[in-house]
């Protein structure tokens, strides 16, 4: 099956702020990869990520966003089946002293 990309953008997250994005697939999918990309190439070491898929948390309580990965070779690879209508939820908290703008990218089939 062909892999497809889905990108959810947080918009600008102020220092000390957070953003939430979510997506509900319109068919059964398998998430192959997850990436977090900061649009100005800023470090994500001081940004915390919380990920929940189909109401199951995959970060307890959070993970540094840099650990998810920024390139297709070295990123989170859950190979996770997600049923149609299940909510994919990501919260990113910015502990940096400046703003960030993050693309949450899922590769799925």
């Amino acid at each position: 099956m062909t892999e497809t990309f889905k990108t959810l953008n947080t918009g600008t997250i102020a220092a000390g702020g957070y953003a939430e994005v979510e997506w509900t697939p319109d068919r059964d999918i398998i998430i192959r990869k997850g990436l977090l990309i900061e649009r100005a190439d800023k470090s994500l070491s001081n940004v915390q990520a919380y990920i929940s898929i189909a109401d199951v948390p995959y970060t307890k309580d959070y993970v540094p966003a840099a650990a998810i990965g920024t390139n297709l070779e070295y990123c989170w690879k859950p190979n996770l089946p997600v049923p149609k209508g299940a909510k994919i939820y990501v919260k990113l908290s910015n502990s940096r002293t400046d703003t960030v703008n993050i693309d949450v990218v899922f590769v799925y089939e």
Side-chain angles (χ1 to χ4, degrees):
M1 190 174 244
T2 303
E3 291 184 335
T4 304
F5 289 81
K6 174 67 176 180
T7 301
L8 308 166
N9 181 256
T10 63
T12 300
I13 307 172
Y18 69 90
E20 300 167 302
V21 294
E22 60 183 56
W23 170 45
T24 304
D26 58 3
R27 64 176 178 82
D28 292 350
I29 65 170
I30 299 173
I31 296 176
R32 296 293 184 197
K33 300 175 184 178
L35 301 96
L36 297 174
I37 312 293
E38 206 292 322
R39 289 191 171 189
D41 290 326
K42 296 177 183 176
S43 170
L44 295 178
S45 296
N46 210 11
V47 175
Q48 295 77 40
Y50 172 83
I51 301 171
S52 172
I53 300 172
D55 296 320
V56 176
Y58 287 89
T59 54
K60 300 185 183 190
D61 294 315
Y62 67 87
V63 64
I68 300 297
T70 60
N71 95 26
L72 291 170
E73 184 65 28
Y74 303 105
C75 66
W76 182 47
K77 298 174 184 165
N79 292 315
L80 180 69
V82 179
K84 173 183 177 179
K87 182 170 73 169
I88 298 168
Y89 169 82
V90 179
K91 178 180 177 181
L92 296 162
S93 299
N94 182 10
S95 296
R96 293 173 52 99
T97 58
D98 59 350
T99 62
V100 291
N101 186 332
I102 300 170
D103 285 325
V104 178
V105 181
F106 292 103
V107 180
Y108 69 96
E109 37 177 74

